[in-house]
Amino acid sequence: MNSLCSIIKFENLQELKRLCHWGPIIALGVIAICSTMAMIDSVLWYWPLHTTGGSVNFIMLINWTVMILYNYFNAMFVGPGFVPLGWKPENSQDSMYLQYCKVCQAYKAPRSHHCRKCNRCVMKMDHHCPWINNCCGYQNHASFTLFLLLAPLGCIHAAFIFVMTMYTQLYNRMKIILRNKTSIESWIEEKAKDRIQYYQLDEVFLFPYDMGSRWKNFKQVFTWSGVPEGDGLEWPIREGCHQYSLTIEQLKQKADKRVRSVRYKVIEDYSGACCPLNRGIKTFFTSPCTEEPRIQLHKGEFILATRGLRYWLYGDKILDDSFIEGVSRIRGWFPRNCVEKCPCDTETDSTSEGEKKNR
């Protein structure tokens, strides 16, 4: 409690100047970057926040950051403790056993030493640390040591998240390469299966560029010369397909998307911020990791949503004739809790079941 009071009151306001030094600037910058990237990386890629493990992992990351910063600022601002100016032993005869500091005009207490940087005699001085821009000594020895212990542990946790994220991304990348696909084409194939299942169609979609051999698919990307095979316009295809099998499926999905899009009405304004703080912590931390735009919403507007995530939707804003001249469409991501489904689309969903067998 005394340490906390010392931090809040800052026994000497000049202590704030300790932050204006290359040591604390670098140290706090590294802590901020590592902590922020680990949290964002963990939530967006490695371990989703809505799972139990993801929540525990996120709380642990916050806990590391709080404990590291608490002990860091404790070591910096509470300080080591200085020998009072003009100090001398109670028994004047004991002064013969002590050194005298001409700068502090006082005797040096046992285990104390004069610091040229602090320009004071420091109680139980260990060393002057540039990273906290203060001495390590009697009062902050424990906090400084805990900081040195917690910082590597937090870095190990963050490094584990970074490694697992990179491993996951590399694994997914190699998996689609060995099937001669791209990320977009994998998504198109998934939507093709969903479309066929949704409408209960008697057809099968075959990805046309899978050569049937992982080695052949691998050579489509990696060659000894470093130049990919082909001209980038026409591709070798598997038996039973032709050059436009994939594009035909894309046209079907475009038409299906227009049919299955859902109309929403905006009930709360949205500024178009990438990670809006005022929309809730889950919306903030689950913002889509994409360069696709966010669209600004105003209460009363209508949106046609074509896809979505747990807390976000993607769609086109329905424009009236008097909107913006020369703008044909405005589309992008927006928070799900800013809109509500229009009643007319609830009725449409029930009637669409009868359309499945007719498509």
Side-chain angles (χ1 to χ4, degrees):
M1 188 64 183
N2 292 334
S3 298
L4 183 61
C5 292
S6 298
I7 295 176
I8 296 175
K9 295 179 179 179
F10 295 113
E11 295 175 348
N12 183 356
L13 291 178
Q14 296 298 319
E15 294 293 316
L16 282 173
K17 291 184 177 180
R18 294 191 182 278
L19 290 170
C20 303
H21 183 264
W22 63 266
I25 291 175
I26 294 177
L28 291 174
V30 171
I31 293 171
I33 292 173
C34 290
S35 300
T36 303
M37 292 306 299
M39 291 178 190
I40 294 176
D41 203 20
S42 177
V43 171
L44 294 182
W45 294 106
Y46 177 58
W47 218 336
L49 191 61
H50 60 82
T51 62
T52 302
S55 299
V56 172
N57 178 65
F58 188 74
I59 291 172
M60 287 181 62
L61 286 172
I62 294 177
N63 185 54
W64 287 124
T65 304
V66 170
M67 290 194 300
I68 288 170
L69 289 176
Y70 172 77
N71 285 283
Y72 180 83
F73 287 125
N74 211 28
M76 177 186 291
F77 291 125
V78 172
F82 301 107
V83 177
L85 296 174
W87 180 86
K88 58 183 179 181
E90 294 182 2
N91 187 348
S92 59
Q93 294 181 351
D94 293 339
S95 59
M96 61 183 296
Y97 304 114
L98 302 172
Q99 300 180 66
Y100 186 78
C101 178
K102 295 181 180 179
V103 177
C104 298
Q105 295 294 306
Y107 287 95
K108 295 181 181 180
R111 308 184 74 179
S112 65
H113 302 275
H114 185 83
C115 175
R116 294 180 181 178
K117 290 285 186 180
C118 298
N119 204 32
R120 290 288 301 274
C121 286
V122 179
M123 294 188 287
K124 195 187 175 184
M125 179 178 175
D126 186 273
H127 70 289
H128 184 91
C129 177
W131 302 111
I132 63 173
N133 196 21
N134 207 342
C135 282
C136 173
Y138 167 65
Q139 290 184 350
N140 64 354
H141 208 161
S143 297
F144 183 77
T145 305
L146 286 173
F147 165 72
L148 295 181
L149 172 66
L150 295 170
L153 292 177
C155 288
I156 291 172
H157 188 179
F160 172 77
I161 293 173
F162 294 146
V163 170
M164 289 303 297
T165 301
M166 294 304 298
Y167 171 78
T168 303
Q169 294 301 307
L170 177 62
Y171 173 77
N172 292 333
R173 182 61 47 195
M174 289 305 300
K175 185 168 66 173
I176 63 175
I177 286 177
L178 293 177
R179 296 174 181 174
N180 201 16
K181 299 176 184 177
T182 64
S183 300
I184 295 175
E185 290 169 347
S186 296
W187 186 39
I188 292 172
E189 186 178 28
E190 289 180 9
K191 290 194 296 181
K193 294 176 181 178
D194 176 69
R195 182 184 63 83
I196 293 171
Q197 182 180 6
Y198 183 81
Y199 292 110
Q200 301 176 8
L201 302 176
D202 187 19
E203 65 178 77
V204 177
F205 174 74
L206 293 176
F207 184 73
Y209 307 119
D210 188 348
M211 306 307 297
S213 167
R214 292 184 177 183
W215 175 243
K216 290 180 179 179
N217 292 336
F218 182 82
K219 289 194 299 181
Q220 289 288 310
V221 177
F222 297 99
T223 61
W224 289 110
S225 64
V227 179
E229 292 187 358
D231 59 2
L233 299 176
E234 294 186 1
W235 306 91
I237 55 175
R238 65 188 297 175
E239 187 177 351
C241 300
H242 58 80
Q243 284 290 337
Y244 304 108
S245 294
L246 185 65
T247 56
I248 291 172
E249 176 59 33
Q250 288 179 268
L251 291 173
K252 291 180 180 179
Q253 291 180 13
K254 290 284 186 182
D256 181 52
K257 184 170 68 172
R258 287 191 290 269
V259 173
R260 295 171 63 178
S261 59
V262 181
R263 184 190 295 262
Y264 285 87
K265 182 178 181 180
V266 180
I267 57 175
E268 292 187 29
D269 291 347
Y270 166 56
S271 64
C274 181
C275 299
L277 281 170
N278 61 339
R279 304 313 313 168
I281 187 171
K282 291 183 178 180
T283 301
F284 176 81
F285 282 110
T286 56
S287 178
C289 187
T290 173
E291 292 186 0
E292 292 176 314
R294 276 64 170 167
I295 56 175
Q296 188 175 8
L297 302 180
H298 298 286
K299 190 174 180 180
E301 293 179 332
F302 291 92
I303 305 289
L304 276 179
T306 55
R307 52 190 166 99
L309 302 173
R310 188 180 180 90
Y311 299 104
W312 290 79
L313 290 171
Y314 183 91
D316 293 72
K317 185 181 291 188
I318 301 176
L319 306 178
D320 54 29
D321 297 335
S322 61
F323 200 74
I324 303 175
E325 186 177 353
V327 177
S328 58
R329 64 193 306 185
I330 297 177
R331 59 179 175 175
W333 291 96
F334 53 91
R336 189 183 284 269
N337 56 13
C338 288
V339 297
E340 66 177 4
K341 198 172 183 180
C342 293
C344 58
D345 283 294
T346 304
E347 299 175 2
T348 305
D349 291 342
S350 60
T351 58
S352 63
E353 295 293 329
E355 300 176 4
K356 292 180 181 180
K357 297 182 180 179
N358 298 327
R359 289 181 63 88

